[in-house]
Amino acid sequence: DAKTTQPNSMESNEEEPVHLPCNHSTISGTDYIHWYRQLPSQGPEYVIHGLTSNVNNRMASLAIAEDRKSSTLILHRATLRDAAVYYCILRGRNFGNEKLTFGTGTRLTIIP
Amino acid sequence: GAGVSQTPSNKVTEKGKYVELRCDPISGHTALYWYRQSLGQGPEFLIYFQGTGAADDSGLPNDRFFAVRPEGSVSTLKIQRTERGDSAVYLCASSLTATSLNTGELFFGEGSRLTVL
């Protein structure tokens, strides 16, 4: 599986935008980019995913570099509830390759 | 709610004992996953079921670990002769179909915390 690299931790002030980076220089042309987050004492939850184009949903935006070797998860206005570990994951599109491989993620701290 | 349910939420056992952890996926989800998460680490894949069959068990660490899903819904993760190193949170997730056929969104339960003394 292609690997992703994320900073171990980040801090952001409440009510400000947060940009969480992810490098995936060995991404293949068929890999989707997925983001999950894990709140304290909970299982991970899906945030967003994309292939080539930028994506928006109610939780966040995903900006994908033109060469697809990096991406950025954007939380437009961080709240205290956004404090979590954020995982950037590559998922192949080949049938039979079904597992998601998590790294250690970025621990996001929100400062009130 | 109708999310993924895992029982027990906490299990304390002694070294050498047998443990079963149960996962009740979202109704209608055919794909089911088990992950293990140690403190400070991301979830580590153990096994994936499509229906009743284990389609990928490459993450099971050794033959003390076994999982079943006899009717294609509820799954049980079984650990024999537990060791202190098995202490972790065991997470279950389900997906409507194989992730390669859909958005790839997994729905996780809150996990079962296993402590082996």
Side-chain angles (χ1 to χ4, degrees), chain B residues 3 15-16 35 56 58 74 81 86 89 96 102 109-110 113:
Chain B
K15 181 175 176 298
Y35 283 80
D56 183 351
S58 61
V74 171
R81 305 183 304 279
D86 299 335
V89 175
L96 184 60
N102 64 31
E110 294 192 349
R113 180 177 297 279

Side-chain angles (χ1 to χ4, degrees), chain A residues 17-33:
Chain A
V18 182
H19 290 233
L20 296 162
C22 181
N23 287 321
H24 28 78
S25 58
T26 60
I27 191 170
S28 78
T30 57
D31 286 341
Y32 282 101
I33 302 159

